[in-house]
Amino acid sequence: MERWEEALAQAGYRVTVPRRVVAAVLSEADTPCSAQVVFELGKIRYAGLGLVTVYRTLALYESLGLISRVHVHDGCHGYLATTPGHRHALICTRCGRSVEFLGQGDLDLLIARLEKRTGYRVQEHLLQLFGLCSGCRGTDE
Amino acid sequence: MERWEEALAQAGYRVTVPRRVVAAVLSEADTPCSAQVVFELGKIRYAGLGLVTVYRTLALYESLGLISRVHVHDGCHGYLATTPGHRHALICTRCGRSVEFLGQGDLDLLIARLEKRTGYRVQEHLLQLFGLCSGCRGTDE
DNA sequence: CCCATATTGAAAACTACTATCAAAAACAAC
DNA sequence: GTTGTTTTTGATAGTAGTTTTCAATATGGG
Ligand SMILES: [Mn+2]
Ligand SMILES: [Mn+2]
Ligand SMILES: [Zn+2]
Ligand SMILES: [Zn+2]
């Protein structure tokens, strides 16, 4: 809850009620949220919130590196708070609950081989894992 | 061009002109295509093609595992023909040209560690690499 | 060749997202 | 605290992407 305000201020942006609300929603969610969902959860905290502002704020936070847009199986995509450092998401396909994990050098070998073979130079990667959390696998096993 | 028709027939679907056109477009593209793009390229081959049919056909091919929906940085997502086996894409962020590569056991270690730590059971993963192809890096280096 | 059925495309409906603009809020200077 | 400049906001309207509906058409088996 502090990170967000600091990042805004340091980048010269104003700290406003809607921006605080969006930050609160995202930092408490453990599942990627669409803009619509952020809007609905946000209105609970601040009834005056506007959908347009949610879109703007999501774009802003993404540009500041505070959240990342992740691929979602059905819909188009969702937003997830990024804890500092290089991280990836493991998402439960049933309940949507997701955990992040550090991805430091996780793919270095793969990438090195690939660059040699293809002539490409790899700059970024997107890695998302999908599966079932222990809760959703039921009580069996 | 044969794979597609066989897969349709074997699953009990009819082989139609629009379906052949969409297959042709996708199997010749070396870049993820949005529905709109498939539609435009498809109309060159068959003027009567309808956009709605493109959407339906993309969904059908995805359900048959012939194409996969990949995350695209700006837009929402694009469709890419999947060659049999487990593959990932390396996409040039400048020209969009992409190469596929086999991803057999590439993440096994990572996944094993992660399952132990989180209690999740990983079923699928999405891995996409982004960078510059040799052409787009210019003549230097 | 014919027929039952799957499939198609136009139009309309619906949803996601973006541009516009006057009113309101933030913050720095006093 | 008051003031004033500038950023930010939210309602409305507009655009783009996707789905539903339905009568007309094409397919593949008999
Ligand atoms: Mn997407
Ligand atoms: Mn990584
Ligand atoms: Zn779950
Ligand atoms: Zn390139």
Side-chain angles (χ1 to χ4, degrees):
Chain A
M1 293 287 279
E2 263 308 306
R3 279 181 64 226
W4 308 81
E5 302 192 13
E6 274 171 29
L8 284 173
Q10 272 182 19
Y13 293 102
R14 294 184 179 175
V15 177
T16 68
V17 173
R19 284 174 181 166
R20 262 196 291 252
V21 168
V22 171
V25 168
L26 288 169
S27 60
E28 286 179 17
D30 57 354
T31 231
C33 296
S34 66
Q36 288 291 338
V37 168
V38 173
F39 176 53
E40 271 143 40
L41 294 176
K43 271 195 300 194
I44 296 170
R45 294 166 177 267
Y46 167 52
L49 186 64
L51 176 59
V52 182
T53 302
V54 170
Y55 277 105
R56 279 191 289 235
T57 306
L58 289 172
L60 176 60
Y61 282 158
E62 193 188 5
S63 78
L64 293 176
L66 294 166
I67 61 177
S68 56
R69 241 179 49 160
V70 302
H71 190 79
V72 170
H73 258 64
D74 35 354
C76 187
H77 38 242
Y79 295 86
L80 202 60
T82 53
T83 25
H86 178 86
R87 287 176 173 255
H88 300 298
L90 165 54
I91 301 167
C92 177
T93 53
R94 190 151 167 284
C95 71
R97 215 176 306 278
S98 51
V99 296
E100 282 193 319
F101 61 94
L102 276 164
Q104 44 199 357
D106 46 0
L107 301 173
D108 289 352
L109 239 91
L110 183 71
I111 288 173
R113 272 188 306 218
L114 208 56
E115 287 189 332
K116 185 165 285 180
R117 239 192 51 219
T118 62
Y120 278 57
R121 188 82 357 126
V122 176
Q123 295 168 326
E124 288 182 72
H125 62 263
L126 168 70
L127 173 62
Q128 287 174 238
L129 304 175
F130 302 92
L132 290 174
C133 72
S134 52
C136 289
R137 280 211 312 284
T139 51
D140 54 300
E141 181 193 318
Chain B
M1 294 285 281
E2 263 309 305
R3 280 181 63 228
W4 306 82
E5 303 192 13
E6 274 170 29
L8 284 173
Q10 273 182 19
Y13 294 102
R14 294 184 179 176
V15 177
T16 68
V17 173
R19 283 174 182 167
R20 261 196 292 253
V21 168
V22 171
V25 168
L26 288 168
S27 60
E28 287 180 17
D30 57 354
T31 232
C33 296
S34 66
Q36 289 290 337
V37 168
V38 173
F39 177 53
E40 272 143 39
L41 294 175
K43 270 194 301 194
I44 296 171
R45 295 166 177 270
Y46 167 52
L49 185 64
L51 177 58
V52 182
T53 302
V54 170
Y55 278 104
R56 279 190 288 233
T57 305
L58 289 171
L60 176 60
Y61 282 159
E62 192 187 5
S63 77
L64 293 175
L66 294 167
I67 62 177
S68 55
R69 240 178 49 159
V70 302
H71 189 79
V72 169
H73 258 65
D74 35 353
C76 187
H77 39 243
Y79 295 86
L80 203 59
T82 53
T83 26
H86 179 85
R87 285 174 175 258
H88 300 297
L90 165 54
I91 301 166
C92 176
T93 53
R94 189 151 166 284
C95 70
R97 215 178 307 278
S98 52
V99 296
E100 281 194 319
F101 60 95
L102 276 163
Q104 44 197 358
D106 46 0
L107 301 173
D108 289 352
L109 239 92
L110 182 73
I111 289 174
R113 272 188 306 216
L114 208 57
E115 287 189 332
K116 185 165 286 182
R117 238 192 52 216
T118 62
Y120 278 57
R121 189 82 357 128
V122 175
Q123 295 167 326
E124 289 180 74
H125 61 266
L126 167 70
L127 172 62
Q128 289 175 236
L129 304 175
F130 302 92
L132 290 175
C133 71
S134 50
C136 288
R137 280 212 312 284
T139 52
D140 53 300
E141 182 191 317

